[in-house]
Amino acid sequence: MPIADEHPDRKPFQPPEKEGTPLSVLLDDVLSTMRQAVSPQIGIRAAMEVLRAGTDARMALLYRDSTHRPSLPDMGQWRLVYRCGRSGTDPVPDDDIFAETPMGSDTAPARHAFSHRGMDCLWVSERMHLFGRVGLLLHGLGPGGRLGQRSGDIVALALRILTAILERDEMHRHVLDRLPYDPMTQFLNARGFQDEVTRRLGRLDWQDLSATLLVIRCAELNDVLHGLSETEALAAMEHAAALLRRSARPTDVFGRISHDHFAIWLDGCDRFAASERAERITTHQLPLLLARPRLLGLRIGLAEREPNSTTGVDELIARAEAALLDAEATGRKWMFDRSPV
């Protein structure tokens, strides 16, 4: 009597095809690489190198359609945003690749294998909801990387993942660009700072009050943050912002107008009171409690605004930055601008 495993109607077990194993490993490597990256942009670049190496391509190139808008026809103008190759001297394919292949056509298929100047290539594109299209070109596929149907599906799926992450990153940047404040320090950003100061000028003129703008620069801040992890850099910036706020009045306006430039707007503050504030800030400097504590020096440029002045906020910032440059050139801790009030 035959046993169950030897039943004549039972089909023998078929192991999975060997072709599927390296392709699944390639996709897993792409996902792992992106998850380990500290930012989407770094993760996308690292994932492209994984795709290039996994397909044995001479070069991988990422393109963006820079002219697409949801309400306009797709013009098909691609812009190279990133490339990776076997060596840094590999030439980028000429622009004629778009004319010689279906890549530049509005009706081009989402995936197309072709030959360009004797090299096997694969073009894969994906459309984003709000920000146009993304295209990936694998140029010069090696003998071990000539793509069949299933491996082409894997590359298309990998690009779909990259596109979703890139679109989410674009949406975050789109939102951050419209915020009135800096997320790291909770200070107003350059646009928010100018809007808030402009809103106050009418009240200052009505009350016949002067005001003073302080532009503070910490020249060593970039070097310190560059050597820190993302979490440590965020903590350092929060600590720096808290120290700058320590001597604040309720009516002061704080802003981060560039990476290492901060601004403080002082309502009703004349030259003498502003000088005392600048001297106190530069004397205390900026101590950061890191693994190796650092004491960062500060330089300040000041610009005063008299009541009923026609000077705008942009001009005040320019005058304060000019005074800051003068202070740095002369070795002084702070300095008022030399322009007539």
Side-chain angles (χ1 to χ4, degrees), residues 3 6 20 29-30 32 49 54 64 115 118 122 133 144 158 166 172 185 190 208 215 217 230 237 245 263 286 317:
I3 60 176
E6 298 175 354
D29 290 343
V30 170
S32 299
E49 176 58 33
R64 292 287 303 274
S115 178
L122 176 70
R133 294 183 297 173
L166 183 61
H172 288 169
T185 61
D208 198 33
V215 173
R217 180 172 185 251
E230 186 176 5
M237 285 302 304
R245 284 187 181 275
L286 195 62
I317 293 177

Side-chain angles (χ1 to χ4, degrees), residues 138-189:
L138 297 176
H139 192 271
L141 297 169
R146 288 188 171 88
L147 300 174
Q149 176 66 28
R150 175 168 167 74
S151 51
D153 292 341
I154 293 294
V155 174
L157 178 58
L159 179 63
R160 188 170 301 173
I161 296 172
L162 298 185
T163 302
I165 295 176
L166 183 61
E167 184 170 29
R168 182 175 290 270
D169 183 58
E170 291 278 357
M171 294 178 66
H172 288 169
R173 293 175 183 273
H174 186 76
V175 172
L176 290 176
D177 287 343
R178 283 156 178 74
L179 288 178
Y181 61 88
D182 172 48
M184 292 186 69
T185 61
Q186 301 301 309
F187 289 170
L188 294 172
N189 56 24

Side-chain angles (χ1 to χ4, degrees), residues 193 197 204 209-215 249 252-253 263-275 277-278 300-306 316 320 336-337:
F193 182 81
V197 172
L204 292 174
L209 294 175
S210 60
T212 305
L213 172 67
L214 280 67
V215 173
R249 303 175 305 173
D252 293 345
V253 181
I264 306 178
W265 177 260
L266 308 177
D267 282 347
C269 187
D270 57 17
R271 295 176 68 95
F272 300 104
S275 299
R277 177 75 69 89
I300 300 179
L302 301 93
E304 184 183 14
R305 182 188 183 276
E306 293 292 341
L316 283 171
F336 271 91
D337 73 293

